[in-house]
Amino acid sequence: MGQIILGVGDFGASNNPDDEIKTFALGSCVSVIFLDPKTRSIGMAHVALPDSTINKAKAAEKPGYFADTAIPALLAQMAELGCDKRGKGIIVKLCGGANVMDTNDTFQIGKRNALSIKKILWSYGMGAIAEDLGGNYSRTVSISISAGQVTLSSPGKPHWQL
Amino acid sequence: MVKKINPDELEKIVASIPMISASASRLLQITAQPDHELMDVVNLVKTDANLTARVLKVVNSAAYGLVSKITSVDRAVSYLGEQVVVSIAIENCAGELLGKELAGYEAAGGELWKHDLRAAIAAREVVIQSGADMSPDLAFTAGLLHDIGKALISDYLRGTAPEAVEMISSHDSLDYLAAEEKLVGVDHTIAGYALAQAWQLPEELAMAIRYHHEPAQAEEIYRPLVYAVHLGDSIAMMGGYGTGSDSMRYKLDANYADYIQINANILANVMLTVDTEFDKLSESLSDSGEKS
Ligand SMILES: [Fe+2]
Ligand SMILES: [Fe+2]
């Protein structure tokens, strides 16, 4: 089985039923998951920050890092696997975006990431059918391409599905 | 049943940890002084053959890609800078402790050291990018050492992670510190502080270890530094580098604003810098360990 491990700011997609896409320990980062039933392909981006205007050079080098550049980049990669360019028919799931406890507005990066992602998805006419966002814990996500199953885990908690 | 850590037991744990080397201890003393110079660091490194060798190995490692080899300590230290030298010294004498698996938190070997490096860089960047009036170098060192207490109590916490997590979600405990206290009698800041005293660390560092989750309780003169570490720690966890089951399960004290001016934009830039700088620093430190 091939494992596609995505670090912070990475994105990737696959239609190989033997593959698994995995990302470790999302804190305030949000994982955007695209599942396309038509082509049986799945993609994911590990988004760290809401807005690329703070560093255009970083966005050019690692588009997956920012919400506004990650979604077009992931869609383009999915399109190479035969998915609709504008994301028609793609199922979206979101997870991550945690915060430390008693956080103030400034430190709510998790929340801002999620909001920014939703706004951009909306501009494509896309929306999440399932989400597991917020809370005060880190999440590890793995998706098997064949089953299309999104599994989440966090130290000290039993695994759960999204 | 989990074994509790009473004061005698804590004393025993601390006594079982090797002392830091005399030169590392001196280095931490020197660098905690506001008026020290890089030359003081150079002279200190020169007194320790082991540290000298490590410093030269790091500066000549592939990570720095120097065209010609550096053979003098003076040049190596000024090239690497104080923070890298301090990281090398701490890794050299407490690397085993900080690199160990934290079974009690369900964290693998190396996770604590990575968290510490991220917190160190983040604390430094918070100071630099907010323009706060304190030493970024000291914030870095305090960040490196802040969670050392976890390595002391982790074995006692073995198997408790699900319970600790449940205690917090059911509001039986306010945060992970409170859960640690309930489960083993001592939280990681108290354990860390006991070690800091045994190691005779400078008071600034001991205070950062003791109060990084409750900065308001630190004495006023130490508070700016303690708040910087408090934020650095939060940023490390937010960036996905916690130490397992306790990650994100601590409270943010928003009164940092009395000492550190940081807005959403600065914070985003700090997080970005931490990602880049962490890769560089961990590459240079690990690289040097493998080759000889
Ligand atoms: Fe801590
Ligand atoms: Fe920490």
Side-chain angles (χ1 to χ4, degrees):
Chain A
M1 187 177 71
Q3 246 196 0
I4 302 167
I5 309 255
L6 301 177
V8 180
D10 289 342
F11 65 95
S14 168
N15 56 8
N16 182 341
D18 292 334
D19 280 348
E20 182 190 49
I21 303 182
K22 191 162 185 172
T23 197
F24 289 97
L26 296 161
S28 58
C29 293
V30 173
S31 157
V32 182
I33 300 157
F34 284 175
L35 305 106
D36 188 45
K38 190 185 79 187
T39 60
R40 302 194 67 80
S41 48
I42 295 177
M44 173 158 68
H46 182 143
V47 175
L49 291 174
D51 185 358
S52 68
T53 50
I54 67 156
N55 194 321
K56 289 284 180 201
K58 178 78 181 183
E61 172 208 331
K62 240 187 198 316
Y65 202 91
F66 303 99
D68 55 333
T69 45
I71 287 164
L74 183 57
L75 276 176
Q77 188 162 0
M78 299 278 291
E80 283 176 31
L81 301 175
C83 305
D84 181 77
K85 263 191 264 178
R86 297 275 310 167
K88 226 172 87 189
I90 287 179
I91 294 165
V92 184
K93 295 186 177 185
L94 302 174
C95 55
N99 297 297
V100 288
M101 301 170 81
D102 286 0
T103 185
N104 66 355
D105 282 349
T106 305
F107 275 77
Q108 289 205 350
I109 291 197
K111 194 171 159 190
R112 285 198 292 279
N113 279 336
L115 275 176
S116 174
I117 287 165
K118 287 179 183 175
K119 231 169 75 186
I120 292 146
L121 286 171
W122 188 70
S123 74
Y124 285 88
M126 301 169 82
I129 63 145
E131 55 179 57
D132 182 37
L133 295 165
N136 321 111
Y137 51 93
S138 82
R139 295 166 173 89
T140 288
V141 194
S142 53
I143 315 168
S144 79
I145 306 294
S146 57
Q149 185 89 265
V150 180
T151 306
L152 289 148
S153 66
S154 180
K157 280 167 78 102
H159 294 193
W160 70 101
Q161 308 286 342
L162 177 65
Chain B
M1 188 62 207
V2 176
K3 189 178 173 192
K4 297 258 181 185
I5 307 174
N6 60 30
D8 279 356
E9 186 74 15
L10 181 56
E11 209 175 301
K12 257 194 270 171
I13 299 170
V14 168
S16 73
I17 309 290
M19 284 298 291
I20 48 169
S21 67
S23 54
S25 174
R26 277 290 297 146
L27 180 63
L28 295 177
Q29 296 289 349
I30 290 170
T31 52
Q33 272 155 27
D35 55 352
H36 72 280
E37 282 164 22
L38 199 62
M39 210 48 216
D40 303 327
V41 176
V42 170
N43 291 333
L44 187 274
V45 172
K46 282 180 178 166
T47 64
D48 184 327
N50 191 314
L51 188 55
T52 297
R54 293 275 302 145
V55 164
L56 289 173
K57 202 184 277 179
V58 170
V59 78
N60 292 304
S61 71
Y64 290 95
L66 294 179
V67 188
S68 58
K69 207 174 164 191
I70 289 183
T71 52
S72 90
V73 174
D74 301 63
R75 283 196 56 212
V77 169
S78 59
Y79 192 87
L80 294 172
E82 179 179 312
Q83 292 167 21
V84 176
V85 174
V86 167
S87 308
I88 294 169
I90 290 177
E91 199 190 29
N92 218 10
C93 64
E96 210 174 305
L97 189 64
L98 293 172
K100 82 174 209 174
E101 178 197 355
L102 298 184
Y105 300 86
E106 299 187 1
E111 283 191 50
L112 175 59
W113 180 237
K114 283 184 199 158
H115 169 70
D116 289 339
L117 282 175
R118 301 274 299 200
I121 298 167
R124 173 194 78 198
E125 289 301 321
V126 160
V127 171
I128 294 175
Q129 298 195 31
S130 72
D133 181 23
M134 65 182 116
S135 156
D137 289 333
L138 196 56
F140 179 91
T141 307
L144 269 187
L145 291 165
H146 79 284
D147 267 343
I148 200 156
K150 286 183 191 170
L152 273 60
I153 66 168
S154 169
D155 290 344
Y156 293 78
L157 285 167
R158 203 177 278 267
T160 64
E163 200 183 335
V165 162
E166 179 50 37
M167 284 161 79
I168 298 162
S169 25
S170 67
H171 304 285
D172 174 54
S173 294
L174 290 175
D175 63 1
Y176 216 92
L177 270 196
E180 288 172 346
E181 218 258 319
K182 266 190 199 159
L183 287 163
V184 294
V186 160
D187 70 48
H188 72 269
T189 65
I190 304 229
Y193 182 66
L195 184 64
Q197 284 183 309
W199 281 0
Q200 299 184 330
L201 295 184
E203 197 61 8
E204 292 86 343
L205 299 178
M207 288 294 129
I209 292 170
R210 175 65 185 89
Y211 294 115
H212 67 272
H213 293 298
E214 305 148 304
Q217 290 187 34
E219 231 180 288
E220 177 70 34
I221 50 160
Y222 301 118
R223 234 174 271 163
L225 174 72
V226 176
Y227 270 108
V229 175
H230 178 64
L231 296 188
D233 178 39
S234 303
I235 291 167
M237 294 189 285
M238 288 162 68
Y241 287 79
T243 58
S245 55
D246 70 331
S247 192
M248 316 291 281
R249 298 186 200 273
Y250 296 99
K251 290 176 185 296
L252 181 82
D253 177 354
N255 287 326
Y256 67 78
D258 293 342
Y259 305 91
I260 294 165
Q261 302 303 315
I262 188 168
N263 57 28
N265 214 23
I266 295 176
L267 180 60
N269 272 306
V270 167
M271 296 196 68
L272 199 60
T273 315
V274 171
D275 266 335
T276 337
E277 293 290 309
F278 170 73
D279 287 345
K280 270 198 240 167
L281 182 59
S282 50
E283 191 201 340
S284 59
L285 291 175
S286 65
D287 225 58
S288 63
E290 285 153 23
K291 303 187 301 184
S292 53

